[in-house]
Amino acid sequence: MSKDPYAPKDAPPSDVEHIKINSNYLRGSLNATLEDRVTASIPEDDNRLMKHHGSYMQDDRDLRNERAKQKLEPAYQFMLRIRAAGGVVTPQQWLVLDELAQTYANGTIRLTTRQSIQLHGIIKWNMKATVKTINETLLTTYAACGDVNRNVMCNPNPYQSEVHGEVYKWADRISEHLLPQSRAYHELWLDGEKIIDSQESVEQEPIYKNVYLPRKFKIGIAVPPANDVDVYSQDLGFIAIVDNGKLLGFNVTAGGGMGMTHGDTATYPQLGRVIGFCTPEQAIDVAEKTVTIQRDYGDRSVRKHARFKYTIDDRGIEWFKDELHRRLGWSLEPARDYRFDHNGDRYGWVKGSNGKWHLTLFIQNGRIADDEQGHLLMTGLREIAKVHKGDYRITGNQNIIIGNVSGQSKRKIDQLAEQYGLTSGLASSALRRNSMACVALPTCGLAMAESERYLPTLLGKLETILADEGLQEQEIVIRMTGCPNGCARASLGEIGFIGKAPGRYNLYLGASFNGDRLNKMYRENINEEEILAELKPIIARYARERQEGEHFGDFAVRAGYVQAVVSGTDFHA
Ligand code: SRM
Ligand code: SF4
């Protein structure tokens, strides 16, 4: 094995580090294993590399037992994630994705919590055709997953003001700047030059080197007062500072992250901390140098301790600032004032400063599909894409914006949206409109409990309780994940559920409505009956005792149900 220059001195690098270093810049034996028709799977080493190309091998967990009984290999399939900074896609691109979903995937499209788009259920032999088609439409899956910088999030409604448009451009530039340089992606998927088999490849990764990052890395840009990218959950965050409609620059946050492991208190969700201010032009440099610090100091031995938040918490935020300033050759200015109101989406039509209209739709848990109740989301978005001249924007709350609609087209879009049941979600309760659930079963290999398929049912029961207390219009951020990895940022839910086992969840309370405070565990390992029994009296008391404008999470803290958690290091205390 090649020597890893970045391995900590006292512990050997993890297996994944060996795989990356020996992969010849993300190639491994992927080309051969994708061609191999003997099995629908690929070996684990290649699967690790495959993530950097935007895909995970999965198997349909609903079919696992039955197939095992029949002595068949699991129903292997691939999830493909499309990375588009700020979640912007054109109607033409949407139509291609829609067709791919029908042809090669499971007939649905999944909007993600990071403004990306996922297709599920692609069989190995269809992967090359799918990725190639995605690229032909000028989208990519490269670096959507893996130990690199992921999709850069930003406030998804750029045309609300010129500032939003500018911020989107910076998100895109940061995203491009941090893309891996290896040609492996082009060779593998786009019929590039011949695959280089030798370790003597002349390729260079100026930012990542051949080791890439110790773990995934995430960046998001928020435009106050909306914190719809949950900026404090990002490894590196930028908060736009705007004066008189002009973007002055960004406050920089560092060291956020949501993942943890049940029963391991050394792992915890954490909030990014504001470390200073930079101008827009300096943001790329800040991002690059931060990534290289994590490359050089992140833990390469223990993957669950390898996120940037632990690098910072172990060494201290002042250490990080000093190292960042040293690498930048200049210092961040003191942070500027800002204020966030909320971390959810604002629904319905808004008119942007460019005179165009934008319709934000509520998509339950980001799943675009036609259902038997007459909600024809898939068909509706396809029909709109056929006539729409603007764009689609995915939000960080798994919703979609039909963006940049001209005054003349607004009626037509409105009529189509209504005809296919796209706007019916807007009439959902305030609780539902503020809900998110991660994918979980049946595709996610790490799920311990249902999430996307279960939260809608649980919400129905909670809606009844809220309605009984006259709180049906009360906005409460509620989030569920099927395991503690945090994909729907459940630790930032005023009510959070984290899957423990089939039908059982930990219940967390007390996060803020604007995403600047974590929640804390209130009850462990409870089933639906217990969840409802626990929440009912708290909701009733909230209805009686809440102060003017007081949010549910703030009340849960004030009433003493849980303590306020403003640092992840207190999450388990
Ligand atoms: Fe995630 C792994 C889905 C956002 C933290 N995430 C996974 C995998 C790939 C499971 C796996 O490793 O085998 C899931 C695929 C499920 C499936 O079948 O589609 C998965 N994550 C998702 C998505 C699709 C959830 C969704 O419902 O939208 C989100 C895709 C985002 C994107 O477009 O890039 C998604 N994941 C997140 C977020 C939220 C965010 O980034 O804002 C987090 C928490 C923030 C963070 O990273 O700290 C998140 N995912 C994780 C982790 C825990 C990482 C850690 O720090 O320990 C894992 C597990 C891992 O990496 O080992 C994971
Ligand atoms: Fe899977 Fe867990 Fe992420 Fe949900 S939170 S998608 S169960 S890894």
Side-chain angles (χ1 to χ4, degrees), residues 255 289 429 564:
K289 300 300 184 296
S429 70

PDB file of all heavy atoms in Angstrom, residues 255 289 429 564:
ATOM      1  N   GLY A 255     -17.812  23.953  11.327  1.00  0.00           N
ATOM      2  CA  GLY A 255     -17.857  22.839  12.276  1.00  0.00           C
ATOM      3  C   GLY A 255     -19.222  22.296  12.610  1.00  0.00           C
ATOM      4  O   GLY A 255     -19.404  21.707  13.671  1.00  0.00           O
ATOM      5  N   LYS A 289      -9.226  26.672   1.542  1.00  0.00           N
ATOM      6  CA  LYS A 289      -8.273  26.479   2.647  1.00  0.00           C
ATOM      7  C   LYS A 289      -8.906  25.666   3.769  1.00  0.00           C
ATOM      8  O   LYS A 289      -8.245  24.841   4.412  1.00  0.00           O
ATOM      9  CB  LYS A 289      -7.783  27.836   3.175  1.00  0.00           C
ATOM     10  CG  LYS A 289      -7.066  28.686   2.136  1.00  0.00           C
ATOM     11  CD  LYS A 289      -5.827  27.990   1.571  1.00  0.00           C
ATOM     12  CE  LYS A 289      -5.011  28.831   0.600  1.00  0.00           C
ATOM     13  NZ  LYS A 289      -5.662  29.214  -0.669  1.00  0.00           N
ATOM     14  N   SER A 429     -51.647  20.857   6.829  1.00  0.00           N
ATOM     15  CA  SER A 429     -51.503  21.567   8.100  1.00  0.00           C
ATOM     16  C   SER A 429     -50.131  22.235   8.158  1.00  0.00           C
ATOM     17  O   SER A 429     -49.193  21.832   7.450  1.00  0.00           O
ATOM     18  CB  SER A 429     -51.620  20.583   9.258  1.00  0.00           C
ATOM     19  OG  SER A 429     -50.464  19.759   9.278  1.00  0.00           O
ATOM     20  N   ALA A 564     -31.774  23.542  26.965  1.00  0.00           N
ATOM     21  CA  ALA A 564     -31.338  24.120  25.681  1.00  0.00           C
ATOM     22  C   ALA A 564     -29.961  23.568  25.321  1.00  0.00           C
ATOM     23  O   ALA A 564     -29.090  23.460  26.177  1.00  0.00           O
ATOM     24  CB  ALA A 564     -31.268  25.636  25.800  1.00  0.00           C
TER      25      ALA A 564
END
